[in-house]
Amino acid sequence: QKEVEQDPGPLSVPEGAIVSLNCTYSNSAFQYFMWYRQYSRKGPELLMYTYSSGNKEDGRFTAQVDKSSKYISLFIRDSQPSDSATYLCAMSAGGATNKLIFGTGTLLAVQP
Amino acid sequence: DSGVTQTPKHLITATGQRVTLRCSPRSGDLSVYWYQQSLDQGLQFLIQYYNGEERAKGNILERFSAQQFPDLHSELNLSSLELGDSALYFCASSPQIGSYTEAFFGQGTRLTVV
């Protein structure tokens, strides 16, 4: 079983829709939770970061972490064609390495 | 631009060969991570160096090795290449370890083994 599970999609939505992306994980040591966005043939770039459980909002994006359920979500409101990309969840236990463990990524296409 | 530079951008080589991928981290970043991204596996952590020392190992094959030099740039060496090694290889850097710090990714090296 992978430490981090993510539905690979693809997910296709019309412009303006609310998008929900999710990951589950098995390692209870994870305490830092991130969402990265990756455009085709580019490196991943950090979109949102959350420490421990709770919600965080940044513009049209909301990240949620539920440590009791080992479940994290990213919501995109009023989705735009420019949001079309692969979204990767990533997690870290911090400590001596801070290495990130990634989900497989969800490919999102927002249709104009 | 993340500030992390990877060279070369593309590499095509034959099975059995050896290649070296290079990563220059952001100025001042001490930690370097290497990841492999293939279509069916996503981003897989390979290895991490911090200030010249190996800090963590992930799913790195014995045919692969890495090092971080005194100027903090890092190289990933892949030898006895197989078709299955074809993938995108990313380097990321961060300032420190311990509490969370953002990891910045380079644009990757696309390796094709024929």
Side-chain angles (χ1 to χ4, degrees):
Chain A
Q1 182 190 4
K2 289 184 177 181
E3 280 189 283
V4 180
E5 299 277 1
Q6 183 176 6
D7 186 342
L11 188 59
S12 182
V13 301
E15 184 175 352
I18 296 175
V19 176
S20 172
L21 305 168
N22 311 294
C23 288
T24 59
Y25 64 95
S26 57
N27 188 347
S28 56
F30 289 146
Q31 52 182 332
Y32 303 102
F33 304 91
M34 289 133 279
W35 287 94
Y36 279 78
R37 179 171 60 193
Q38 185 177 22
Y39 292 111
S40 181
R41 298 180 179 274
K42 300 289 187 184
E45 54 183 359
L46 182 68
L47 196 59
M48 299 279 289
Y49 150 71
T50 309
Y51 170 67
S52 194
S53 284
N55 295 356
K56 188 171 187 177
E57 190 172 317
D58 184 1
R60 297 184 294 111
F61 299 88
T62 299
Q64 288 184 351
V65 174
D66 182 349
K67 288 190 73 177
S68 62
S69 302
K70 296 191 177 65
Y71 187 88
I72 73 169
S73 302
L74 177 70
F75 298 95
I76 308 174
R77 290 183 298 281
D78 187 24
S79 55
Q80 302 296 308
S82 58
D83 295 328
S84 299
T86 296
Y87 289 79
L88 302 128
C89 62
M91 305 177 192
S92 169
T97 77
N98 261 352
K99 68 181 182 185
L100 299 178
I101 306 300
F102 282 85
T104 49
T106 300
L107 179 60
L108 172 67
V110 181
Q111 307 297 334
Chain B
D1 183 1
S2 68
V4 179
T5 304
Q6 289 188 246
T7 56
K9 286 192 170 57
H10 303 278
L11 201 47
I12 300 176
T13 190
T15 54
Q17 295 299 304
R18 172 189 168 93
V19 298
T20 297
L21 313 183
R22 183 188 169 100
C23 170
S24 294
R26 292 189 325 150
S27 177
D29 283 0
L30 299 177
S31 195
V32 169
Y33 307 81
W34 285 97
Y35 286 84
Q36 178 192 58
Q37 187 175 39
S38 54
L39 279 174
D40 58 345
Q41 292 292 321
L43 268 164
Q44 298 288 308
F45 170 70
L46 295 178
I47 197 164
Q48 178 202 5
Y49 279 82
Y50 179 76
N51 203 21
E53 294 187 0
E54 183 185 303
R55 189 54 70 108
K57 253 185 177 176
N59 301 322
I60 187 166
L61 299 171
E62 284 192 14
R63 300 183 285 109
F64 296 0
S65 65
Q67 54 184 326
Q68 186 179 28
F69 295 85
D71 67 353
L72 300 178
H73 92 271
S74 179
E75 293 181 356
L76 180 67
N77 301 295
L78 315 176
S79 61
S80 303
L81 284 167
E82 302 175 358
L83 296 177
D85 297 327
S86 296
L88 266 169
Y89 291 84
F90 285 103
C91 165
S93 75
S94 68
Q96 61 189 40
I97 53 178
S99 59
Y100 170 77
T101 56
E102 181 176 349
F104 293 85
F105 282 78
Q107 295 300 292
T109 293
R110 182 172 295 277
L111 173 67
T112 303
V113 182
V114 298

